[in-house]
Amino acid sequence: MASLSEIRARLQAAENKGGSSTSNYDNAIFPFWNLEDGQSATVRFLPDGNTKNTFFWQERAMIRLPFAGIKGEMDSKQVLIRVPCVEMWGEACPILAEVRTWFKDKSLEEMGRKYWKKRDYIFQGFVRENPINEDKAPENPIRRFIIGPQIFTTIKGALMDPELEELPTDTLRGLDFRITKGSKGGFADYNSSKWARKESALTEVEQAAIEQYGLLDLSTLLPKKPTDVELKVIKEMFEASVDGQPYDTERWGQYFRPAGVQAPAGVASTDESTPAAAKPALKVAVSTPAADTGFNEDDVPAAAAPVARPAEGSKNAQDILAMIRSRQAK
């Protein structure tokens, strides 16, 4: 486990590498939420570069901690910090341990949902049809996708179909996925998204890109597991947030900060709301409206058992599909 000094050194190195850019945008991530209503983008998901991962995605669980401004700043607006839920690592989360009890009281249920973990899913692949005018398209065409629960339900549904014989990520017999944006009740709606009906092979250009750039280990985009000290800080921030206190930079700033808030004196500066582990995926998740990306998930306590990490298994397509269906059916 990295020490605090090592964490700070890594943060400083990441900041130096990033230069003087003030943008939180990572152009490796495809911003499908910028589609206009009625527009669609066609993507082709690829396997995880980590061959031990049964799935071709990584699940991420984060908890939002809102604060009524920043301590010492008279005109500061509400700020939000996103912290990793340690159920991602199969451990008990100190926040959810408290929040679970709230659902026994109807009057506390709304508050419970506010502090419940929010899930999203990290994929990688090609964008085959892109109606979005991107100013900074990356050189590497293998993009990352931060998928919310609404779209993920559609993705998962096809994998549970017994008529599916091959993995959608197969080089020769895979399937494209069409992300379609609509609106419902004033919010983005992706229920019209769907898998292609016909199989298709990757093009020579796409296969060459995989050969040149390789497939990313998606677990590297997950937040760093909090240390014992950081877990205590997370619990303190949670209690302060529930009590309506402002965010205290001097007290917590060396561990977790909202985007744009400067570090206390003597601490390496970064604009992330997670320690050391903040990856580009987190930057987009923080700066992108929850309603557009499907991040605003109310995950009920009944389904809140610690999340088991996918186990290594046979890489035969039928075996993998069987494992996915078995796990998702539980």
Side-chain angles (χ1 to χ4, degrees), residues 1-11 224-230 254-255 275-277:
M1 181 178 295
S3 67
L4 183 57
S5 61
E6 291 172 330
I7 290 173
R8 290 171 177 168
R10 289 177 60 185
L11 282 172
K224 181 187 70 69
K225 181 181 177 181
T227 64
D228 290 342
V229 171
E230 290 163 349
Q254 71 181 89
Y255 301 103

Side-chain angles (χ1 to χ4, degrees), residues 98-322:
E98 173 75 24
V99 173
R100 278 191 178 92
T101 64
W102 297 357
F103 287 87
K104 299 177 182 180
D105 185 334
K106 285 290 184 181
S107 65
L108 295 176
E109 187 170 324
E110 182 177 353
M111 180 70 78
R113 294 185 182 280
K114 179 179 179 181
Y115 287 98
W116 195 252
K117 63 182 178 182
K118 305 297 186 292
R119 293 177 178 172
D120 56 40
Y121 306 84
I122 305 172
F123 293 75
Q124 66 183 328
F126 295 110
V127 180
R128 293 186 136 182
E129 294 182 17
N130 182 8
I132 300 174
N133 182 19
E134 294 187 90
D135 295 332
K136 298 180 180 179
E139 178 181 347
N140 181 354
I142 302 175
R143 309 292 291 272
R144 305 168 194 167
F145 307 96
I146 310 301
I147 301 295
Q150 187 183 62
I151 298 177
F152 183 73
T153 297
T154 301
I155 293 173
K156 181 179 67 175
L159 299 175
M160 302 299 287
D161 186 345
E163 294 186 1
L164 183 67
E165 297 181 352
E166 191 55 75
L167 283 168
T169 56
D170 185 74
T171 302
L172 299 176
R173 298 179 57 195
L175 294 173
D176 291 346
F177 187 77
R178 196 165 184 81
I179 302 174
T180 301
K181 182 180 178 181
S183 61
K184 185 176 182 180
F187 296 100
D189 181 82
Y190 299 97
N191 279 319
S192 296
S193 302
K194 59 184 178 182
W195 289 99
R197 294 184 178 182
K198 294 183 178 180
E199 300 172 345
S200 63
L202 294 181
T203 67
E204 291 183 2
V205 172
E206 289 169 337
Q207 293 188 53
I210 295 175
E211 186 70 23
Q212 178 180 356
Y213 295 103
L215 295 174
L216 184 68
D217 179 348
L218 297 177
S219 68
T220 63
L221 299 180
L222 296 174
K224 181 187 70 69
K225 181 181 177 181
T227 64
D228 290 342
V229 171
E230 290 163 349
L231 274 178
K232 292 179 180 179
V233 172
I234 287 174
K235 184 69 180 303
E236 284 183 13
M237 293 194 304
F238 163 67
E239 293 172 351
S241 173
V242 174
D243 289 342
Q245 298 177 25
Y247 171 79
D248 191 332
T249 305
E250 293 299 323
R251 186 177 175 187
W252 306 309
Q254 71 181 89
Y255 301 103
F256 301 89
R257 295 189 301 281
V261 173
Q262 295 299 314
V267 177
S269 177
T270 179
D271 285 337
E272 294 298 342
S273 60
T274 58
K279 300 296 190 297
L282 286 177
K283 291 185 179 180
V284 168
V286 169
S287 61
T288 303
D292 284 351
T293 59
F295 292 167
N296 191 20
E297 177 194 15
D298 287 331
D299 191 3
V300 295
V307 179
R309 305 296 291 171
E312 181 175 7
S314 169
K315 295 307 163 190
N316 176 277
Q318 291 297 321
D319 290 342
I320 295 175
L321 286 170

Side-chain angles (χ1 to χ4, degrees), residues 25-138:
Y25 177 67
D26 175 15
N27 64 359
I29 299 172
F30 179 60
F32 63 84
W33 46 84
N34 288 337
L35 290 166
E36 301 290 340
D37 283 358
Q39 284 187 328
S40 298
T42 301
V43 305
R44 178 62 166 266
F45 296 126
L46 296 173
D48 190 346
N50 178 5
T51 58
K52 293 183 179 181
N53 184 8
T54 300
F55 305 143
F56 52 94
W57 65 83
Q58 282 284 352
E59 179 179 313
R60 182 176 63 177
M62 306 293 288
I63 295 175
R64 295 190 184 110
L65 301 177
F67 290 89
I70 299 175
K71 184 177 180 180
E73 297 185 11
M74 298 296 295
D75 300 324
S76 63
K77 299 180 180 179
Q78 184 186 75
V79 296
L80 184 70
I81 292 181
R82 300 173 78 245
V83 296
C85 174
V86 292
E87 287 194 353
M88 280 192 287
W89 296 276
E91 298 184 5
C93 174
I95 293 179
L96 297 192
E98 173 75 24
V99 173
R100 278 191 178 92
T101 64
W102 297 357
F103 287 87
K104 299 177 182 180
D105 185 334
K106 285 290 184 181
S107 65
L108 295 176
E109 187 170 324
E110 182 177 353
M111 180 70 78
R113 294 185 182 280
K114 179 179 179 181
Y115 287 98
W116 195 252
K117 63 182 178 182
K118 305 297 186 292
R119 293 177 178 172
D120 56 40
Y121 306 84
I122 305 172
F123 293 75
Q124 66 183 328
F126 295 110
V127 180
R128 293 186 136 182
E129 294 182 17
N130 182 8
I132 300 174
N133 182 19
E134 294 187 90
D135 295 332
K136 298 180 180 179

